[in-house]
Structures are given as structure tokens and as C-alpha cells.
Amino acid sequence: MSTAPGSGSAESGQRAAPPTELARGLSLGRYIVLERLGAGGMGVVYAAYDPELDRKVAIKLLRPRPELGAIGDRSASLLNEAKTLAALSHRNVVTVHDVGTFLGQVFIAMEFIGGGTLTQWLATGPSWREVLRCFIQAGEGLAAAHDKGLVHRDFKPDNVLLDVSRHPRVTDFGLAQKGAGPAPEPAATDSARVAGTVGFLAPEQVRRTTVDARSDQFAFCLSLHLGLYGEPAHPKSVDLRAPLPPVRAAPAGSPVPGWVRRVLLQGLSEDPASRFPSMRELLAALEADPSRARRDSLQRVGAAALILVVVGLGVGLSLRESLEQRTQRECLERVEAQLATMWSLQRRSAIEQSFNGISPELGGDTWVRVRDRLGPQFDGWGDSSRAACRLKGDAAPRALWTSCLEERRKTLHSMSELFAHPDAEVMTHALNTVLVEVAPASGCTPSAPAALLELEGSTPADEALRSGLARARVLRAAGKLTEGIGEARTVARYARVQKTAHVEAEAMLLVGEVSSELHRLDAEQNLLEAIVAAERVGNDEIRARAWISLVSWYSGRGRLEDAALANRQARAILVRLHDPALLLASQLTAEGILAASVEGPEAARVHFKKALEIRQDLLEAGHPLLMRSLNNLGNALPADQGLPLLSEVLKTRETLFGPSHPETAIAHENVGIALSLTHACGPALTHLETALDIRLKDQTANRALLGKLYGSIGTTLACMLRLPEAESSHRQAVTLLKEGGATAEEQSEQLSQLLAVMGQLKRPSSERLVFEDQLKRLEQ
């Protein structure tokens, strides 16, 4: 908790009076005030700058509320509530970074959200489906607060902020209280005032009976009613102390379906016991479109009965709905059904529970980070798919657009399924899986090049193969390499039988790439098969990717002439393709690996630097390919020059994955090794031991990689002349490298380092003999 200078009491024991306006440049703890953004019932909000983390934040300075008591009396309570909110991490709740006091007033430092309020967005006239979707997301934020035992007590559209992508965040928990309890009594000076906002209060808040999460549910439904119908559920003059009048009728011609209104009416019940038992059950009811269930039921009706229905209704439907309208309606209904399957509240809850069950320490944080990345992708897919359904005119562009979106859906669906039933490896790799495999739906358009949209007119068998290929790619990205190879081989085999050469080529390329990552001897044959299959259909991209993989595979085995030939083949194809940027970056990376073996690190740097520049222009910070380029160049440079790049990777991974993730451990290890090479052994040891602490908690940690880390720690301890500790680390490294199946060269190097330290410690020859024998056997 940060406390601003001067926030303590004066000598007289009385606090200084708080200013009515904070001037630009004033410091609140470490925060520097920029400008006043606005004011509400709970306080004044300022934009501020956080110099320590180089970011813009929003500062809310809580004002005294007479109906809640003096601010001084409530400071401790408010601070506790703010700390509880700071621990509430959810993509639909504004993140609280810090809390403190300034001249006796509590302030909260929050993330800065720049997309306006829900009230402002509703004024733009979104469709009822868009309104419902946005409110469901905001409701998830409320539900997350309820899970922490917090009741908001002032939910309204003004207290929901939208980011630039229109994703809602609930804010202004200034009136929140832990658990259920009576509404606060009014101060004697203002007996008419009630905590909360008129027009969005539950009756029990005015009647001063028990206020709990169901009170938030009532306010949520009042807000949703206003958003859907453009008018409040009750007249503004309604007296909540008296029995409530019926909810006003829906406006004539409203497109909002009756089932939504029925859910609203239950949430607006005067008696809290008649509302939904929880916010989550209310949200589930809002997601459960009965028309979807009716469609499923119709599909199960026998053929004879279905014919009777069609005959009986055919004339009436033909008068009310044209063929184009029916096609559009069915398309939109299909999109909603697919979204409900892939990213429903139940599916998200299942993933969250699975992640937490695997690792209570890492699972929750990983889920939040994955959800925040994946949620907008599902939203984007839904928006693009609805737009494709509504596209009028020539059916061909719509078919191509829909086909491209269907490819995106297969990947999202495979990811959703995998995350719902994960193991420790899947959970650990989950965020990388999203970063690597999810392509934004915005990349699909009606005018996209035909080469990118080759699926028009595909058969159900083709679709099944494509789904299998999507599963294989997701498995690979999730670290399930063996399972990914098996799935891809199955796809390739069936594609060969069905003479679908393009899918066969893609599947064999995936088999070859994963085989290469696993250092399997059949990688060469698999990649050559992919090249042959790609030749049959003239797919240069697959051929180029296969040759690029062969460059790295040959280089790693010392077959430098074969690697050079494969590199020339890849370059020739890329020239013909006019050097597509990301593929060129992959080729330059492989060529850098080859150059390091032939000419040394200086030659490799040239290629690694070019690859990095390309990826920096095209990929977001944190993308695994960009991080790989930074690592490649950082490790190829002299240690003092490479250290800034490796530190950049560490900073990015800490931000993206969190401080306790295995990906962050790798970055700590790389920085530690670089520092050790510059003889900054103390700082190096700090990074290496941080990496070790993280890896020891990782259920998926590779024992050979853990052994290398122990070896690096041993080398650094020896640099600091802490020789007994260095010996212990090297002994552990030798054991782990052997158990993990490390190469003979890696084991020999570690044994040599251990024996050198034992020599410095003048250990008896009998102690050294066992390790000397191991070294001799490895060198034979």
C-alpha cells in the first residue's frame, strides 16, 4: 500500500483538510496527477502517471459519504475493501493496482480504461443481441466479485467501462461490502439519503433489510431492461418503500424475445427469494436461448412428422419469410449455437475449475491470462460470422468468407475442448497455445485472396479432416507433441485414401515439424514426404516450410552440406513467392543456425537480426516467434551486448505470463547465464535461483533441462568462490542430466565441471573416481 507524503496527522492530532481539486503534477504516493476525468457519488477520478511501471492509471479519490459515516471513521474499512478488490482478478472487472491515503482520504489506483461507459455505448443504438452479450460479460464480473464475497450495491451502466474493443469492465466498488448485511443507517444529518443510485436500487436497500448478491442481481436486471428497451423498468417516481408496481410492458414492436423478458422479470422480483439463487444462474438463463433447444428438437423429429409440419406451415412461412431471410436467420442461429458450445459460461467455468484443480498456485492466474486473450477472439469470430451471415448480394463472397471463418472456428473449438480437459502440460502451455494458433477472425473478409480460402464446396469428409488437422496443431502448441503427431498422421493417412493431396501435404508437414522438434530420426523422411505431397498440388508455401525445417534439422546433426542445399531450395521458393515476410523470417532463422555452425556467431547475428526486425514489425509483443528471435540474437551477441535483449524477453514474459510461470523461468535462466558470462556473478545467481524456484514447482519440468539449470548455478557459485555449494549443485546436475536422457556431450561437460570443483576442494581421489569413470565411459 502506498501512502502519500504528508498523509499523517498534524501536531494538533487533527488531519489537514483535503483539497477540493488536485492540481496537475501533484504526487499521490508514486502517482503524478495528469487531469481530472470526472466525479461520481463515491469520489473524483483523475488520470495519473505511474513512473515506476511507465503506465497511465486512473486514480479515484474517495470522498466522504454522510450516509456512510465520516471518511476518517471508514478509512480502515475502505482500505480493506480496496485490498479485497485488488485481489479480484477478472477480465470484466477493472483491475485495482494499489490503494493508499492522501490527507486522510482513501484513494484507489486502477487500470486506465479508455472506451467510455456502458451508458455512452447504449446511446449508439446497438442491437438487442449485442446489448445482451455485453451485459452477460459485465455480469460475469459481478459474479466474480460475489465469488469473493463482495456485494457491489451500486451496479448501473455508468459503473461499467468499455475498453477500445468494447469489452466491459465493472468498476466503482466504492460501496461494496463483504457478504450479506443490513443496508447502512443514514447519518442523522441526512436521513433521506440511501447508499446507491436512485433508479438502480433494490427495494431492500431502501427498506434497510438484508442486502446481498441478489440485490446486485436486481440492479443488473434494471440496467439490462434499460439497455434492451431504452426505458426503465419502473417509473422514476416509484417509491421503493411501498409495494412495487408491475414492470412496465415491453414497447410495441420490440425485437427482444419473450424468453429474455421472462428472465428479466424473475431477476426483478420484489422478494429476493424469488430471484435467481445466484448471479451465475441468472447469466446461464440469459445464455440459454430456447429457440436453440427447439431447433435441436425439430432435428430429432421423424421424417414423416417433419414432412407434415413443413406441409402445414409451408404456405404461411412463404408469406412471412423469403428464402434469403430464412438463410440469414438460420446462419445467425448457427453462429449463436456454435458460440454457446465453444465459449459458454459453463465451458469457461469448466476450464477455470480444471486449471485450478491442476495447480491452485498457477492455475487461476493462467486462466485469467488465457481468458483475457481468448475471450476477445471468440467475440471477434462471432461478430465477423454474424456480418458474413448478413452479407447481401452474390453468394460466392459470403461462402468464401464463411469458409475462412469456419477454419478459425475449428481452431477455437479444438482449443476450447482441450482446455476443458487439460493436464499439467496443457495448462502450462495454454497461453502460448493461444498466441501461436489463434488467428484473428478479422483476417477473413469477402475480398480475401482465393488462395487463402480454398474450402468452398468441401465435402463432410474434407471438413472432418480439417477438424483433425486443427486438433493436431492445437495439441502441438499445447506441448502435447506425441499426441499431435498421432493426430496428424491419422489425418494424412485418410487424406491419402480420399486423394485430398492438399490436406495430406499439410498433415505431413506438421508430422515432420514436430518430429524435428522431438529430434526424431524419421523427421527427414516425414518432411520429404510433405514436400512430395505439396509438389502434387503445387503448394509452394508447404514446400518452403518443409525445406526450412530440414535446414535446422540437418544443421543440428552436423550435415552441413545437406543443410546448405535445403537452404538454397527454400530461398528459391521464397523468391518465387516474393518473400512472404513471416516465412522469410523463419528461413533467415534457420540460415542463422547454419551460419553459426559454418562461420561462427558473427555470421549468425546478421541473419538473426534480419529475422528479428521482420517479426517486430508483424507480431505482437510476447509472441513466441518474436521471443525466439530476441533470444537467438541475444545469445549470439557477446554477453554484455546480448543482455539488454534477453532482459527485454524477461520483462515481456513476466508481464504476459506472470512472475511464477515456467516461460518466465526460462527468461530468468537466460539472463542469469548472460550475467555470469560478464562476471556479474551475484546478480546472475539471483536470476538463476529464481528460475530454479519456479521450475521446482512445475509438474511438467524436464529433468535434463533442470539439470542444466543446476549446472549453471554451480558455475556461478564457483565464480563466487562458494565451492562446497557449487559442488552440491554440480552433483545434482549430473544426476538430473542422466535421468533426463541428456546427450553424452552435455553429461560429459557437467562431469568435467564437477571434477574441476572437487579438485579445487581437494576431495580425495576415491570420491572423484566414480565420476571419472562415468566421464571415461561417455567419451568412449
Side-chain angles (χ1 to χ4, degrees):
M1 180 184 75
S2 68
T3 304
S7 61
S9 299
E11 288 184 14
S12 65
Q14 295 183 353
R15 295 185 184 275
T20 56
E21 186 81 12
L22 299 185
R24 179 180 175 86
L26 181 71
S27 294
L28 278 77
R30 72 172 191 253
Y31 306 104
I32 301 170
V33 173
L34 297 176
E35 61 179 327
R36 186 177 188 269
L37 296 176
M42 289 308 299
V44 185
V45 181
Y46 295 87
Y49 174 66
D50 179 355
E52 286 188 17
L53 297 177
D54 188 25
R55 64 184 176 188
K56 192 175 184 180
V57 298
I59 297 285
K60 172 167 285 190
L61 192 64
L62 300 179
R63 63 173 48 156
R65 291 290 299 254
E67 73 276 17
L68 300 178
I71 191 72
D73 298 336
R74 298 196 68 236
S75 290
S77 174
L78 284 167
L79 284 171
N80 287 333
E81 290 163 10
K83 289 175 183 177
T84 303
L85 284 170
L88 174 57
S89 180
H90 192 276
R91 73 183 291 256
N92 296 118
V93 175
V94 172
T95 301
V96 172
H97 298 311
D98 191 13
V99 294
T101 58
F102 176 75
L103 297 179
Q105 287 183 265
V106 176
F107 72 80
I108 301 176
M110 305 171 290
E111 66 176 319
F112 185 86
I113 308 294
T117 66
L118 181 54
T119 299
Q120 292 167 331
W121 177 67
L122 290 173
T124 66
S127 71
W128 74 266
R129 287 189 183 277
E130 292 171 320
V131 171
L132 183 61
R133 188 167 68 252
C134 188
F135 267 88
I136 287 173
Q137 292 174 352
E140 289 182 32
L142 267 185
H146 295 167
D147 290 344
K148 292 284 187 179
L150 280 174
V151 181
H152 191 290
R153 298 196 300 158
D154 196 23
F155 183 87
K156 57 185 177 182
D158 275 345
N159 282 343
V160 178
L161 302 179
L162 302 183
D163 63 21
V164 292
S165 300
R166 290 213 315 258
H167 295 110
R169 316 281 185 89
V170 182
T171 186
D172 211 344
F173 280 83
L175 285 176
Q177 67 179 22
K178 291 285 284 183
E185 289 294 331
T189 56
D190 195 0
S191 60
R193 296 186 64 184
V194 174
T197 302
V198 174
F200 299 97
L201 291 170
E204 58 268 24
Q205 288 179 268
V206 176
R207 299 169 188 172
R208 308 200 181 282
T209 56
T210 299
V211 173
D212 58 21
R214 293 171 298 182
S215 306
D216 283 351
Q217 186 184 139
F218 190 93
F220 176 88
C221 289
L222 285 173
S223 302
L224 179 54
H225 189 286
L226 182 64
L228 289 172
Y229 299 112
E231 59 185 25
H234 302 107
K236 290 184 179 179
S237 59
V238 68
D239 184 358
L240 294 179
R241 290 168 294 188
L244 288 181
V247 174
R248 66 175 61 184
S254 170
V256 180
W259 66 268
V260 173
R261 183 168 181 79
R262 286 191 291 274
V263 174
L264 272 179
L265 292 176
Q266 183 174 343
L268 291 170
S269 297
E270 184 170 1
D271 180 5
S274 299
R275 300 170 199 160
F276 289 90
S278 70
M279 193 71 203
R280 294 198 184 280
E281 292 187 49
L282 166 63
L283 298 177
L286 289 172
E287 287 190 321
D289 185 346
S291 63
R292 190 179 306 128
R294 287 196 296 272
R295 290 194 302 274
D296 293 342
S297 178
L298 280 174
Q299 290 173 0
R300 292 191 293 268
V301 173
L306 187 57
I307 290 171
L308 289 175
V309 171
V310 172
V311 170
L313 297 179
V315 175
L317 284 176
S318 66
L319 292 175
R320 294 198 304 268
E321 187 177 45
S322 68
L323 177 60
E324 183 177 14
Q325 289 172 327
R326 186 175 66 203
T327 301
Q328 182 182 110
R329 174 177 56 77
E330 290 174 349
C331 179
L332 290 169
E333 289 172 348
R334 184 167 58 251
V335 168
E336 300 306 327
Q338 289 169 334
L339 270 177
T341 300
M342 298 186 294
W343 201 238
S344 65
L345 181 62
Q346 291 85 346
R347 172 55 58 88
R348 294 193 294 276
S349 296
I351 297 173
E352 182 176 12
Q353 290 173 11
S354 297
F355 279 24
N356 282 322
I358 289 171
S359 172
E361 180 177 323
L362 188 61
D365 184 62
T366 299
W367 160 241
V368 169
R369 295 171 190 274
V370 167
R371 181 200 61 207
D372 287 354
R373 288 272 170 169
L374 201 48
Q377 299 298 333
F378 279 105
D379 291 342
W381 179 86
D383 290 341
S384 293
S385 297
R386 293 183 194 97
C389 291
R390 297 186 182 107
L391 187 66
K392 297 183 182 298
D394 187 358
R398 181 170 60 242
L400 289 173
W401 193 4
T402 303
S403 295
C404 178
L405 289 168
E406 176 62 13
E407 286 298 284
R408 302 289 197 265
R409 187 198 67 79
K410 287 183 174 69
T411 298
L412 290 169
H413 183 260
S414 296
M415 209 168 291
S416 172
E417 288 287 323
L418 184 65
F419 291 167
H421 306 92
D423 58 15
E425 192 170 36
V426 168
M427 187 206 72
T428 300
H429 288 87
L431 187 54
N432 263 335
T433 306
V434 176
L435 291 170
V436 171
E437 285 302 319
V438 175
S442 57
C444 297
T445 67
S447 57
L452 299 177
L453 306 167
E454 300 170 345
L455 309 173
E456 186 179 19
S458 58
T459 66
D462 295 335
E463 290 297 299
L465 291 174
R466 290 264 172 201
S467 294
L469 198 54
R471 282 194 300 275
R473 289 185 177 125
V474 169
L475 285 166
R476 174 201 187 178
K480 311 295 287 183
L481 301 184
T482 304
E483 292 90 334
I485 282 183
E487 186 79 30
R489 279 196 183 281
T490 300
V491 170
R493 184 167 60 251
Y494 281 104
R496 197 172 299 127
V497 170
Q498 295 173 18
K499 303 187 185 306
T500 311
H502 187 86
V503 177
E504 180 189 350
E506 287 187 69
M508 283 311 303
L509 173 64
L510 187 58
V511 171
E513 288 175 337
V514 180
S515 300
S516 179
E517 290 176 34
L518 290 170
H519 307 289
R520 286 173 45 159
L521 295 178
D522 63 349
E524 178 182 17
Q525 182 60 37
N526 292 331
L527 289 166
L528 290 173
E529 283 186 35
I531 290 170
V532 172
E535 290 277 7
R536 289 202 296 270
V537 292
N539 191 313
D540 274 346
E541 181 181 341
I542 292 177
R543 292 176 61 234
R545 287 174 57 190
W547 283 119
I548 290 167
S549 292
L550 281 167
V551 175
S552 299
W553 193 83
Y554 287 140
S555 298
R557 278 148 191 79
R559 294 171 57 179
L560 302 184
E561 290 185 4
D562 290 333
L565 175 60
N567 188 55
R568 288 196 294 273
Q569 293 276 13
R571 281 295 311 136
I573 297 170
L574 290 184
V575 168
R576 187 161 63 241
L577 293 173
H578 304 291
D579 283 333
L582 287 177
L583 207 52
L584 176 60
S586 296
Q587 183 268 321
L588 286 167
T589 300
E591 190 170 357
I593 295 170
L594 173 60
S597 299
V598 176
E599 305 171 68
E602 289 188 12
R605 291 170 205 156
V606 176
H607 303 294
F608 290 154
K609 185 177 180 182
K610 290 179 181 177
L612 174 60
E613 289 170 350
I614 292 171
R615 286 172 172 169
Q616 282 176 324
D617 286 341
L618 297 174
L619 301 175
E620 65 172 313
H623 193 286
L625 288 177
L626 179 54
M627 295 297 97
R628 191 176 303 168
S629 279
L630 285 166
N631 276 325
N632 287 339
L633 183 56
N635 289 320
L637 287 165
D640 58 334
Q641 297 176 33
L643 192 56
L645 297 179
L646 299 175
S647 298
E648 181 182 343
V649 173
L650 173 57
K651 182 178 179 181
T652 301
R653 282 183 165 159
E654 281 184 320
T655 301
L656 187 63
F657 292 95
S660 302
H661 196 277
E663 291 286 345
T664 306
I666 295 170
H668 273 295
E669 185 175 356
N670 287 336
V671 170
I673 292 170
L675 285 168
S676 180
L677 291 173
T678 65
H679 304 291
C681 299
L685 184 62
T686 299
H687 283 284
L688 293 171
E689 288 182 335
T690 299
L692 181 62
D693 287 343
I694 298 171
R695 283 181 179 261
L696 289 176
K697 298 172 185 175
D698 178 16
Q699 301 176 38
T700 67
N702 179 284
R703 297 188 74 75
L705 294 177
L706 200 56
K708 289 182 182 179
L709 178 53
Y710 270 105
S712 297
I713 290 174
T715 301
T716 305
L717 288 166
C719 165
M720 301 171 71
L721 300 180
R722 293 164 58 177
L723 297 181
E725 295 170 82
E727 179 188 22
S728 176
S729 285
H730 282 307
R731 283 176 180 266
Q732 185 76 352
V734 166
T735 300
L736 289 167
L737 287 170
K738 184 177 181 181
E739 292 176 354
T743 65
E745 182 180 358
E746 290 169 335
Q747 293 184 59
S748 297
E749 180 183 354
Q750 195 55 231
L751 283 164
S752 298
Q753 292 185 33
L754 171 60
L755 288 167
V757 172
M758 294 179 77
Q760 289 179 277
L761 288 168
K762 303 187 184 307
R763 298 301 188 201
S765 58
S766 58
E767 283 189 34
R768 299 198 304 269
L769 184 60
V770 63
F771 299 112
E772 290 170 349
D773 287 344
Q774 289 181 36
L775 183 59
K776 287 177 184 177
R777 285 196 296 272
L778 287 168
E779 291 176 343
Q780 288 175 352

